[in-house]
Structure formats: structure tokens, C-alpha cells
């Protein structure tokens, strides 16, 4: 082990709780493979989420529903191999936890055993609370996910902002309390009004990580392909695009193709 590795302070669930207590923001980003996970970790991101958004950005599906537990485990294994410091959280895919708490626990155990990740994330509140309790009881850290939960997209029928009415806002408040009581170490809230997020964050000691949930969160998460501009078709108001990798990669590949066709690649110094 190098001295840099031995002095590296790994991010744990405890680190995140302390960050919230100190008012220090948590930066979270998705990753799905070894090479990007390595860069994201080296850049200092605190939490790497192996999101089931892999179903969209890696596999090209329209929703997150088709991705399987085996596929999430494959992505989780690849990411874990690239990470030294960040906390790695793997999403439990649709169908791997909704039916009952025994199936949920078995799926969570497979993820932890086979990927080497540090935590799992699942979507929902009251409906899945028994599963959260049994996973936490097994010693597995659980991150919750409320608001726009993409695995329920066909029930919502739209990707519009959630909890804009009192009934749904009250349900999220209640679900958050239940998730904290069940032992979740953090909760993602997706696409809900900023002032609701503020109330949520102030009502719990666990960190609230937002995506499209405004500035009053304890941290933010984005999908890597969206913020790097790899996926340019998805442009919601909440997204800040830091690069236009799609354009840069396309230009580089066009240049390579042209170099091959004109015979300028490889040249003498690139040959043996
Ligand atoms: O799958 C995912 O990428 C997520 C984030 C949007 C939070 O759950």
C-alpha cells in the first residue's frame, strides 16, 4: 500500500452524518464503470451512486425498470474496483425488493457480497419500510429515495415535479420520518419544491441529498452522463451541464475516422 493510500480518509456513512452536522455539503455523482469511477473518486466526490439510471444511460432503455439485479451487480463491481475514497452506493433495481422483505434482504445481501459496495439505495417510504428495517438489521447501510421515484414512473404517468400539493408533501414528510426511524443514513429527494426540501432537511439529522430539489439540501446528486453533456437530449431546468462531451467526443472520432481514411494515421513514429 502506498503512503497516499494509507493516509486516505475514506468516506463512511458516519462521515456524511458529521458533514450534515457541520453544515458541510455532500457531493454525489453517479458512475457505472471502472474508468469513470476512478476519475470521479480522484476528483473528490464524496458519494458515488451506481444508479439504476444505468438502464437509461448505459443500456439505452426508456425507463429504469428493465435493469436486472445481475446487471446492477456487474456495474457495482466495476465501480468499486476504481474507488479508493468515496462511499459507493448501489441502487436496488425494480423487482428486487418490492414484493417482500425477505426478497429485499436477499437482494441487498447479494449486492453487498458480490460488489464490495458500502451501501444500497431503494425507492419509497411507508410501503417498503419493513424491507428497510430488515436490511438495516442485517448491518447493511440504506439510503432512501423519495419524491420522483423513477421506478414508479408508470404510476405517476409523468416526470413532472412531485409533492406540489399538501397531501403528497405530507406523505413525503411522513415517509422521511419513517425512513430515519428505520435506520436510513441518508435520503435522496428528487424533483420536489425547494421549500419543501428545506423543511425536510431541517426536520431530520440524516443528510438529504437533492436532485432537482433546490439549494436547501445537505448535498446534491446528478447523473454523470447529464452533467458531462454525454447525454444531450435530457435538459431539465435543474441540470447544470459542465461539459459538452458529446460534441468533443464526436469531433475527436470524426478526426480519427478521417485520419484513417486519408492514411495519415498511423505515421512513422506510431509504427514499429
Ligand atoms: O439512478 C439514479 O441515477 C438515481 C439518481 C437520479 C438519484 O437514482
Amino acid at each position: 500500500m502506498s503512503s497516499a493510500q494509507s493516509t486516505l480518509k475514506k468516506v463512511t456513512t458516519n462521515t456524511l452524518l458529521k458533514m450534515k452536522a457541520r453544515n458541510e455539503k455532500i457531493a454525489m455523482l453517479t458512475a457505472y464503470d471502472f474508468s469513470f469511477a476512478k476519475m470521479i473518486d480522484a476528483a473528490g466526490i464524496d458519494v458515488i451512486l451506481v444508479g439504476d439510471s444505468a438502464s437509461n444511460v448505459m443500456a439505452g432503455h426508456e425507463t429504469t425498470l428493465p435493469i436486472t439485479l445481475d446487471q446492477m451487480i456487474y456495474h457495482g463491481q466495476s465501480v468499486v474496483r476504481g474507488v479508493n475514497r468515496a462511499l459507493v452506493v448501489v441502487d436496488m433495481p425494480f423487482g428486487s425488493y418490492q414484493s417482500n422483505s425477505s426478497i429485499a434482504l436477499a437482494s441487498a445481501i447479494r449486492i453487498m457480497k458480490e460488489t464490495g459496495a458500502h451501501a444500497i439505495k431503494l425507492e419509497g417510504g411507508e410501503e417498503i419500510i419493513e424491507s428497510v428495517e430488515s436490511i438495516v438489521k442485517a448491518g447493511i447501510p440504506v439510503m432512501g429515495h423519495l419524491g420522483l421515484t423513477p421506478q414508479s414512473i408508470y404510476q405517476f404517468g409523468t416526470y413532472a415535479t412531485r409533492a406540489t400539493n399538501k397531501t403528497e408533501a405530507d406523505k413525503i414528510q411522513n415517509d422521511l420520518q419513517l425512513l430515519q426511524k428505520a435506520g436510513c443514513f441518508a435520503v435522496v429527494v428528487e424533483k420536489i419544491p425547494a421549500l419543501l426540501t428545506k423543511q425536510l432537511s431541517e426536520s431530520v439529522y440524516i443528510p438529504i441529498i437533492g436532485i432537482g430539489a433546490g439549494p436547501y439540501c445537505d448535498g446534491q446528486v446528478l447523473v454523470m452522463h447529464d452533467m458531462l453533456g454525454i447525454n444531450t437530449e435530457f435538459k431539465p431546468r435543474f441540470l447544470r451541464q459542465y461539459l459538452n462531451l458529446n460534441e468533443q467526443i464526436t469531433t475527436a472520432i470524426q478526426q480519427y475516422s478521417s485520419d484513417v481514411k486519408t492514411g495519415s494515421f498511423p505515421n512513422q513514429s506510431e509504427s514499429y
Side-chain angles (χ1 to χ4, degrees), residues 155-167:
Q155 196 171 54
F156 297 147
T158 161
Y159 283 99
T161 313
R162 304 306 310 176
T164 50
N165 62 62
K166 185 166 168 3
T167 313

Side-chain angles (χ1 to χ4, degrees), residues 28 30 32 49-54 56 64 91 121 123 145 150 188 190 211 221-223:
M28 173 162 148
T30 66
Y32 316 95
L49 172 66
V50 185
D52 60 354
S53 48
N56 310 107
T64 58
D91 255 339
K121 173 165 88 59
E123 298 180 3
H145 186 157
V188 166
E190 181 164 351
I211 173 163
V221 57
L222 284 177
V223 169

Side-chain angles (χ1 to χ4, degrees), residues 41-52:
D41 187 50
I45 286 291
D46 303 305
V47 183
I48 297 183
L49 172 66
V50 185
D52 60 354

Side-chain angles (χ1 to χ4, degrees), residues 175-205:
D175 283 343
L176 177 62
Q177 292 301 326
L178 293 174
L179 289 173
Q180 175 170 265
K181 191 155 172 268
C184 283
F185 69 91
V187 173
V188 166
V189 292
E190 181 164 351
K191 223 167 170 198
I192 61 170
L195 287 179
L196 173 60
T197 311
K198 185 170 189 291
Q199 287 168 16
L200 294 173
S201 172
E202 287 171 357
S203 71
V204 288
Y205 59 82

